Amino acid sequence: MDRFVIRGGVPLHGEVSTSGAKNSALPALAACLLTEEPVILHRIPAVRDIVTMGKLLRRIGAKLELKAGALRVEVRSIASPEAPYELVKTMRASSLVLGALVARAGRARVSLPGGCAIGARPINLHLAGLEQLGARIHQEHGYVEAQAPAGLHGGAYSFERISVTGTEDLMMAAVLAEGETLLENAAREPEVGDLASLLVKMGAQIEGAGTSTIRIRGVARLHGAEHAIIADRIEAGTFLIAGAITGGELVVADCVPEHLTALILKLRQAGAEVAEVSPTSLRVSAPGPLRAVDVTTQEHPGFATDLQAQFMALMTQAQGSSLISETIFENRFMHALELMRMGADIRIEGRQAIVAGSSQLTGASVIASDLRASASLVLAALVATGETVIDRVYHIDRGYQRIEEKLARAGARIRRVREA
Ligand code: EPU
């Protein structure tokens, strides 16, 4: 298993570029299952979760080909409408193939994801929604089987709580269903909007994606399309925090500033300067000391749970006491324990963390427990004195494209040590 060795204390300068969004690329790949024609996807990030999704699609019957930086996906027929446990256990987003498979093949068998490092993560809402569209759901031996031999029909479904992949899964099921589907209390994340624009290019009829009410009129078939994935707002946000935490001046290029509004507001309240230097790039700097601010994670457009761990690292360097409340996942503070081993002063009370700063962090050997937790440890290491060794960086490779190379180009002393 690879590890990162980081020597902190260097303010980051220069420019880093943002890759395509992992959480947009994953549903886009699942959407390729909806047509027998080729779909060409640009800006697919080179991260491990995408490799896992590629493996899953191949098992299902897809042909994937990387050509001049674009991924061509063709699913002439569904060989096996199944997502096995070996793949689902390493990536919960595998359940995204459920809706598309029932819609295209009338049947899907997907391993139940089970819990993970950040919480229980059930898919009950995906299943309840599919039932509203006429699928028969049966669970056995750790698998869920969904059947609609005569095809799905339109229906109305209101999410009991907002689910990003739940909304995406049902959108993919509804585009080929007969009649109209109304999804209420739908997720408004930019990734949902991006999936809708791909589906519309494929011939789907969707209105309202990006709002909490989505209306879908089913069509008989979808066709091939070409689409570029949106920028990864979580990666861009991680870089903004990297610029601020090191007291440097960093330009984060190829991003979508309006997807980062909640983070930018908090960064400014904390004393960082964030300026839009072009419609697709932001410059961050932190000329003075940082101040503590409170943060509560929320669904989009609120403060993203996927940036909570990174913001906590920043708050260890801010003067005063910051209250961080996690409302989306029940167990997303694993990074706090590792940050404390580096010298942070953090108290966890249920779903709230109180961070007292600022603390002089010191390098230590730490272990990453999930993707965003790893990113927060990298950020902490960038300001710690001495050397930090972060183990199990395969977590970070799941969602960040060569983060060490991007940070090193901005001056960070970070290297990957490959385990034989
Ligand atoms: N939930 C249910 N039942 C369901 C679905 C969700 O109770 O059927 C609960 C979850 O347990 C959670 C909450 O609803 O407490 C929200 O979960 P959601 O379904 O929105 O999460 P997700 O779709 O599984 C996506 C991202 C996550 C991100 C969350 C929240 C993808 C592939 N994953 O997960 O990204 O944290 O939305 O924004 O889009 C990451 O990239 O590091 C990551 C974890």
Side-chain angles (χ1 to χ4, degrees), residues 22-23 121-125 161 163-165 306 328 372:
K22 166 190 79 100
N23 289 349
R121 310 194 72 181
I123 56 163
N124 57 311
L125 305 173
R161 70 174 289 181
S163 167
V164 179
T165 52
D306 288 345
I328 307 294
R372 309 304 171 187

Side-chain angles (χ1 to χ4, degrees), residues 22-24 26-27 49 91-93 95-96 118-127 159 161-168 187 189 191 233-234 298-300 304-306 327-330 332 351 370-372 398-399:
K22 166 190 79 100
N23 289 349
S24 210
L26 289 170
D49 274 5
M91 189 185 67
R92 267 143 198 91
S95 49
L96 272 171
I118 62 176
R121 310 194 72 181
I123 56 163
N124 57 311
L125 305 173
H126 303 224
L127 302 182
F159 285 88
R161 70 174 289 181
I162 298 174
S163 167
V164 179
T165 52
T167 302
E168 293 163 348
E189 268 65 5
E191 293 76 18
R233 62 196 166 97
I234 306 302
Q298 274 163 350
E299 292 90 357
H300 195 76
T305 172
D306 288 345
T327 70
I328 307 294
F329 291 109
E330 61 267 33
R332 209 174 197 181
R351 288 200 185 190
D370 80 81
L371 170 54
R372 309 304 171 187
R398 286 186 48 199

Side-chain angles (χ1 to χ4, degrees), residues 320-379:
S321 177
S322 155
L323 178 67
I324 299 182
S325 309
E326 173 58 56
T327 70
I328 307 294
F329 291 109
E330 61 267 33
N331 187 30
R332 209 174 197 181
F333 283 143
M334 298 291 274
H335 46 281
L337 301 170
E338 295 300 287
L339 291 173
M340 281 151 78
R341 296 190 52 248
M342 296 176 73
D345 181 347
I346 303 170
R347 203 170 75 238
I348 306 288
E349 286 176 7
R351 288 200 185 190
Q352 298 192 316
I354 300 112
V355 186
S358 68
S359 303
Q360 175 59 63
L361 301 181
T362 57
S365 284
V366 288
I367 285 195
S369 54
D370 80 81
L371 170 54
R372 309 304 171 187
S374 334
S376 116
L377 296 178
V378 169
L379 295 171

Side-chain angles (χ1 to χ4, degrees), residues 83-85 88-89 92 95 98 109-115 121-124 127 137-145:
Y85 179 61
V88 179
K89 75 174 180 205
R92 267 143 198 91
S95 49
L98 192 56
R109 190 167 178 269
V110 173
S111 170
L112 283 165
R121 310 194 72 181
I123 56 163
N124 57 311
L127 302 182
I137 308 282
H138 176 72
Q139 288 185 31
E140 207 171 54
H141 307 301
Y143 277 78
V144 45
E145 180 137 0

